[in-house]
Amino acid sequence: MNNRPIGVFDSGLGGLTMIKKLAEYLPGEDIIYLGDTGRVPYGSRSRETIIKYAKQDAAFLAGFGIKAMVIACNTVCSVALDNLKSGYDMQIFEVVCAPAKAAALASKNGRIGVIGTAATVRSGAYETAIKNINKDLSVFSVPCPLFVPLVEEGWVTGSDEAAHCIAARYLSELKKAEIDTLILGCTHYPLLYDVISETMGKNVLLVDSGAETAKQVAADLKNNNLLNSAGTDGSIRYYVTDSIQGFSNLAALYLESDVNGLVEQITLE
Ligand code: DGL
C-alpha cells in the first residue's frame, strides 16, 4: 500500500482525457495534474525544447513526493521518455505502448492508422511499437497539428464545421489506405472523438491512448500493491501555467464536473 499521490502531466488540456479514466479506474487515489497551458502545443516544437519542457514538468510533479508519474502526452513519450526515465526512482508510465498493443490485437485487416502531433509522427515511435508486436502489420501515420488548438479552443463538437473540415482534410489519406483501426496518438484527440469517428466512418475502430494507458496504470498499481489504503474518495488538484479561468471552463466541460477552487497557476521556468 502507498498513500502518496500519482502525478500526471500533459502540455495542456489533453491529459484530462487520461484523468477522467484514471479517476474511474482508481477512485481512491489522490492525483496531481499539471497542464503546461502557457506553452502548449508541444507537438510542433523541436526535440530540444520538448525535452526541456518535459524535464521541468516532471521535476515539478516529483516535488510532491508522488509514487508514480504518468506522462499523459504522446509527444513527450515519443521524444523525451529516456531523458525522464533515468532521472527518477519511481514507476513512470508512458502512453504509446498500451494503445499500440490494443490496436495490434484489434485490427482484423492488419492496416492501422496513427494520428498524432508532428513530433510524435516524426519520431516513428508508434511504428516501432506496433512492428515490435507484429512486423507484418502495416502502419499509416498522419500528423494533425491543428487538432490540438481546436481542443484548446473548445471547438470540438460533432456539429462544429471548422473541426469537420480540418478532420476531412487530414484524414482523407487514411480513408484511402483502408485502415480498420485508428490510434488517437495524442491525448487531446479523444475530445474530438465524434468528429473523427464521423469522418472515418463506423467501421474504423478508434483507440484512445490515454484510456488504454489508464487501464495499464490501474492494473500495475494493483499488482504491485501500491494502491492508496485510506478507503476514502481520492482528490484531484490541477496546476496550470496560464490562466486558471480559461482552463477551468474547458476542464469543467471535458470532465463534466466543476473544478473551481481546485486549480492553481504556477511558473515552471
Ligand atoms: N496531448 C499531447 C500529446 O498527447 C500534446 C499535444 C501538443 O502539445 O502538441 O501528444
Side-chain angles (χ1 to χ4, degrees):
M1 297 295 165
N2 188 323
N3 291 1
R4 285 181 287 143
I6 301 170
V8 181
F9 78 86
D10 179 42
S11 59
L13 288 153
L16 296 180
T17 58
M18 163 76 92
I19 291 289
K20 208 169 172 176
K21 292 291 174 189
L22 279 179
E24 186 184 325
Y25 301 145
L26 297 169
E29 294 300 319
D30 294 325
I31 298 175
I32 297 171
Y33 181 76
L34 168 64
D36 192 6
T37 49
R39 302 189 294 195
V40 65
Y42 283 9
S44 43
R45 297 184 191 272
S46 69
R47 191 171 175 276
E48 293 68 33
T49 302
I50 296 167
I51 292 172
K52 179 177 132 192
Y53 289 177
K55 281 183 169 174
Q56 291 171 342
D57 298 338
F60 174 77
L61 287 177
F64 289 90
I66 52 176
K67 63 182 167 190
M69 188 174 330
V70 182
I71 308 172
C73 177
N74 287 264
T75 306
V76 169
C77 295
S78 302
V79 172
L81 188 61
D82 291 344
N83 301 76
L84 297 183
K85 278 208 153 163
S86 52
Y88 297 99
D89 184 21
M90 70 172 92
Q91 184 78 314
I92 296 191
F93 294 95
E94 53 78 34
V95 276
V96 172
C97 288
K101 188 172 172 197
L105 290 175
S107 177
K108 297 210 164 41
N109 71 359
R111 301 172 76 77
I112 298 173
V114 177
I115 52 174
T117 66
T120 298
V121 170
R122 198 171 51 232
S123 75
Y126 270 103
E127 278 86 347
T128 306
I130 293 168
K131 297 274 185 189
N132 279 344
I133 297 163
N134 179 350
K135 65 176 179 12
D136 296 328
L137 294 169
S138 301
V139 185
F140 305 86
S141 303
V142 174
C144 303
L146 291 177
F147 279 179
V148 169
L150 280 178
V151 169
E152 295 283 329
E153 198 60 35
W155 293 11
V156 295
T157 62
S159 57
D160 191 288
E161 262 181 64
H164 269 284
C165 284
I166 292 169
R169 191 151 164 185
Y170 280 144
L171 303 178
S172 65
E173 213 181 291
L174 292 175
K175 289 185 82 169
K176 280 191 217 131
E178 296 185 341
I179 58 165
D180 71 352
T181 306
L182 176 61
I183 298 177
L184 308 183
C186 170
T187 49
H188 279 72
Y189 297 179
L191 295 164
L192 285 161
Y193 190 96
D194 290 347
V195 176
I196 295 169
S197 175
E198 279 164 31
T199 308
M200 290 308 296
K202 59 179 183 327
N203 294 330
V204 175
L205 175 79
L206 304 187
V207 177
D208 176 336
S209 62
E212 291 303 326
T213 306
K215 278 184 222 162
Q216 190 207 336
V217 175
D220 204 281
L221 293 184
K222 257 178 220 153
N223 294 339
N224 288 300
N225 204 22
L226 285 174
L227 291 181
N228 190 315
S229 61
T232 50
D233 282 348
S235 64
I236 309 181
R237 277 147 69 198
Y238 302 88
Y239 293 88
V240 292
T241 53
D242 197 15
S243 125
I244 293 178
Q245 201 53 53
F247 175 85
S248 301
N249 293 345
L250 285 171
L253 185 75
Y254 294 154
L255 294 169
E256 295 167 287
S257 71
D258 191 5
V259 298
N260 272 328
L262 303 175
V263 189
E264 200 175 309
Q265 184 170 354
I266 50 117
T267 312
L268 287 172
E269 283 192 281

